[in-house]
Amino acid sequence: MELIHGFEPIREQNIPELKTAARLYRHVKTGAELLSLVNDDENKVFGITFRTPPRDSTGVAHILEHSVLCGSRKYPLKEPFVELLKGSLKTFLNAFTYPDKTCYPVASQNARDFYNLIDVYLDAVFHPRLTPRILEQEGWHLEPENPDNPDGPLRYKGVVFNEMKGAYSSPDSILAEQSQQSLFPGNTYGLDSGGDPRKIPTLTFDGLMSFHKRYYHPSNARLYFYGDDDPTRRLAIADEYLRDFEPIAPDSHVSLQPPFDRPRRITHPFAAGAEEAPQEGEAPAAARGMITMNWLLPETGDPVMSLSLQVLEYILIGMTGSPLRKALIDSGFGDDLAGVGLESDLRQMYFSTGLKGMATENAGRVEALILDTLSGLAASGIDRETVEAALNTIEFRLRENNTGSYPRGLVLMLRALTTWLHESDPFALLAFEAPIHTLKGHISEDSRYFEKLIERLLIQNPHRTTVVLEPDSGLAERTEAEERERLEGIRQSLGPEGLREAAANALELQRLQATPDSPEALATIPSLKREDLEKTNKLIPSRRIEAEGTTFLLHDLFTNGIVYLDIGFDLHPLPQHLLPYVPLFGRALTELGTEREDYVALSRRISRKTGGIHAETFTSAGGIGDGRGAARLFLRGKAMSHQANDLLSILQEVFLETKWDNRERFRQMALEEKARQERKLIPNGHQMVNLRLRAHFSEADWAAEQMNGVTYLFFLRDLLQTIEQRWDEVRAALKEVHRILVNRPALIVNATLSEDDWKSTRPAVERLLRALPASESTPSLWTPSLPPVNEGLTLPAQVSYVGKGANLHEMGYRAHGSMQVISGYLRTSWLWERVRVLGGAYGAFCMFDRHSGGFTLVSYRDPNLQKTLDTFDETAGFLKQTGSGLDGDELTRAIIGAIGYMDAYMLPDAKGYVSMLRTLTGDTDEIRQRLRDEILSTTAEDFQRLGEVLEGLSKEGFVKVLGSGSAIEETAAARPGWMTVSKVL
Ligand SMILES: [Zn+2]
């Protein structure tokens, strides 16, 4: 057989439903496999994946993932990855560690950029320059707590060490990890591939090196290409790296978990807030427990089984009225569902569901309830419409292939890897037409198809676990004490000489981290030139019409036969005390039930007849008209064009006939909402801090905090009390929100669809509008009461989110496109080095809103507090210094990065929605083009000028910190009176 660049073709298959030709190749010399998906998607994707099952919980796979991105043979920089982040048109660039694999994916719409990214990634994984210093930086090292006292107490530091401390602070991630591990005590899935902070410090440099040598080898590699680039060139690019290697047998096989003969039960503690009288609306610690039941399911390789289980998951818990979800929520044992649902990324699938916000003494009852509900379904049968609803939704998702901000090609890569990684057919899960057809056949032949699955795979399956997570208010302290003790032991055993060595070592690491890359090293990073950048913005089609007294925005885009419809209600007419009701009001429209149908039937109908309807708020200081900015609630729906009439009649029914007096259902929704808001605090603390800072900068941003921020959480806790004690008030408020919002002249209708589909859909849209009430809409006056200027918001966490911000417009700054260049540069250089590399935080963000003038700096999973605030304050000085000596290439890279951000890839529904938001905020095509021109012509002087403006930040800026109580108390105590401390959790 004739080889193509060292590869032999193994298989080829057309996948018409993806408009893709799929080809599988094998690199003959090394055994590396390459999956090549050829189609006309300009958002090209490349990925290289290694099978990396760890054999312990030291986080070796995860630390290696970080480490190989710290310099390689051809690119001898400290962090080539970061240079790419700064100066590429990438639409995706990241790396992931899974329990069994490590993936390095990149994506770009620009072919030259795409090839640059691939080369840096291939050199990184095959020829990294691993050194003990890199393990120390990315993994862990010791340093004196106080650098002036090298003989004093020690502490651990390192990026992954800290990242995992953050993960171990999140009850949800502990629950997910414990649930998975409980099912797989016998194989690699029973370990923590991310790394257990207690085990991470046992990883040695030799351990890291041998893991690399064994697993990061072509014989253990799976390469992937997707998109409209030249298919033959793909093989040449890969061969150039692969051919230097001799084949090995890496033995990275993931074994099957041996079956249990009886179910197991595990109890595990998690750190909960101190045991004191709960605040109003807050659950007592005892009711903050969680439970999941988990079942091991078949292997992932069978596409019909895999699809069947996706449908079954949707039947059981996917809809608000799904029988298992409903039974759990109705039981009153907990606030919200727990568990990941169907997990299908590993070699064997599993299903995990349960409750959170539960008193652990009810664990047995919850378990019995789940089993009884399943038995009931198996015995008396699942409602036919529920099956139809689940099947329609899963099929819609496959056809829509809406991957949000993720490139489509990346999602397909992960889907292919599910089977490919374990030597089964990589095409198996890509094509969906045949499995859907087969599944529909099974369902029509056997009316008890899903009931039998429930019986066989859940009820009669002895490979099942129950995991109970118990709140333990002393755990955080004990964990800290244990770590201190361990470090004290190490300190004693090191002795004075060893301690000085450790201190010197830490200093040397800091010195290296603070030393910039040489210009020669930087020059190795391949980069586009300014001439390669498009000078003009790509425009999104948008047409405005007025009909039925309402504004319509239409976007004629190819959507594969799907109608996307957004209906926006103006929030300005609401009196301000009703603002926090808006998110629940939006959910209530589809989750409370109507005069004709209860919420179970309604949620089923939405799933049967549409691709989904959900509510979303939008606020921006930018606006047209009275200068108050935009504040809207959107109801966003989608459907295949032949279902558009169903979508519209559902919308009409929920707008006009929602049954506002269903107290019990509304109480459940409020409880869920509170649980979800609390759950956001740890993974998304930076967003909460940012919202809280921005509340000071404009009325619209203040409204956003009322509807999404910490204020909203406090509102929900009060609301739960009010629902109990004065339901009439709550019902009256909801009716008032309804009366004010559902008003034709204050609506905007946004439709993204083809011109033909618009012609056939338009009459139904107009019919809907005619049915809605119309009266004069008068804006209310809002008088924001702002939170304290400097705030510490405490939670039981080992890390913090630290933020500082100021309104630059008030400090004399006029919005200019160069800000996009500079803020990206700050994030990837100054903040990255100080807050992440030196500070040990996971990252830091820099955001500017050109409508309000709000400028914010926020760190993520940060072990420091005051030190980060100092860095923020020194930003002005850094910019002024940079401005005087900024290297031309560096500036170009920053400009490319900003253009890449501006040209972010969007799927059609996102294009239509974003175009409408631009209209609402007054962002015309002319303004956006000026922004682009300003980005392209940014100079070093712009850095200097911004530095001068930011000088005011240290004195005039606001500080918000969400996180570790002890760190906050300490900072507050250092300067009595300047910071208001309150407890959030
Ligand atoms: Zn990581």
Side-chain angles (χ1 to χ4, degrees), residues 62 65-66 160 163 842:
H62 181 192
E65 172 224 308
H66 281 242
V160 169
E163 184 188 336
Y842 191 64

Side-chain angles (χ1 to χ4, degrees), residues 54-63 135 139-140 160-161 164 191-204 207-208 211:
R55 300 194 197 282
D56 54 43
S57 293
T58 59
V60 57
H62 181 192
I63 293 169
L135 169 62
W140 70 278
V160 169
F161 178 78
M164 295 315 295
L191 301 164
D192 186 349
S193 59
D196 178 341
R198 283 166 306 181
K199 303 281 172 56
I200 289 173
T202 62
L203 178 65
T204 63
L208 186 76
F211 198 87

Side-chain angles (χ1 to χ4, degrees), residues 522-728:
L522 277 173
T524 60
I525 282 289
S527 174
L528 298 177
K529 300 194 173 45
R530 279 197 220 190
E531 304 85 84
D532 297 325
L533 300 175
E534 296 287 343
K535 299 286 178 290
T536 49
N537 283 327
K538 277 191 199 144
L539 304 182
I540 301 170
S542 182
R543 187 157 66 88
R544 182 188 188 118
I545 58 170
E546 306 286 333
E548 308 298 334
T550 301
T551 301
F552 288 66
L553 295 173
L554 306 174
H555 314 284
D556 177 9
L557 290 164
F558 176 74
T559 59
N560 220 354
I562 295 170
V563 169
Y564 295 98
L565 200 64
D566 310 304
I567 307 229
F569 304 96
D570 188 6
L571 299 180
H572 279 135
L574 282 183
Q576 74 185 61
H577 75 278
L578 292 177
L579 280 174
Y581 278 96
V582 168
L584 271 172
F585 170 83
R587 274 185 60 191
L589 289 175
T590 58
E591 295 181 33
L592 203 53
T594 67
E595 299 293 343
R596 280 188 249 176
E597 285 176 310
D598 67 6
Y599 77 95
V600 176
L602 177 65
S603 75
R604 204 160 52 205
R605 182 159 146 231
I606 291 171
S607 291
R608 257 169 62 223
K609 299 291 187 185
T610 77
I613 303 173
H614 77 276
E616 193 170 311
T617 56
F618 171 76
T619 50
S620 167
I624 30 178
D626 59 5
R628 295 185 62 193
R632 295 259 172 187
L633 169 71
F634 285 99
L635 217 59
R636 306 188 60 193
K638 55 191 175 185
M640 300 306 297
S641 56
H642 68 86
Q643 299 171 320
N645 284 338
D646 292 306
L647 171 64
L648 283 150
S649 65
I650 292 171
L651 288 175
Q652 178 165 337
E653 184 175 327
V654 305
F655 289 160
L656 296 175
E657 297 175 58
T658 291
K659 215 163 166 336
W660 296 107
D661 39 22
N662 189 346
R663 168 174 167 172
E664 186 42 34
R665 177 60 199 147
F666 190 76
R667 195 186 66 85
Q668 289 175 349
M669 287 171 48
L671 263 178
E672 264 172 22
E673 190 81 359
K674 179 184 76 86
R676 289 172 196 179
Q677 203 65 12
E678 283 173 351
R679 190 180 346 159
K680 280 200 322 210
L681 291 170
I682 289 190
N684 298 332
H686 58 302
Q687 287 167 5
M688 301 303 265
V689 165
N690 195 41
L691 271 169
R692 193 85 171 164
L693 278 170
R694 287 175 53 160
H696 291 274
F697 304 144
S698 78
E699 186 192 72
D701 289 306
W702 163 81
E705 213 273 333
Q706 299 284 307
M707 297 186 290
N708 296 299
V710 172
T711 304
Y712 181 49
L713 173 60
F714 291 158
F715 165 81
L716 289 170
R717 289 180 181 156
D718 287 344
L719 180 67
L720 284 163
Q721 301 270 320
T722 321
I723 293 171
E724 291 301 328
Q725 293 156 6
R726 301 186 304 277
W727 164 246
D728 287 352

Side-chain angles (χ1 to χ4, degrees), residues 378-395:
S380 50
I382 303 163
D383 178 277
R384 286 302 93 190
E385 288 196 345
T386 299
V387 174
E388 200 192 310
L391 194 61
N392 176 66
T393 299
I394 300 299
E395 185 174 351

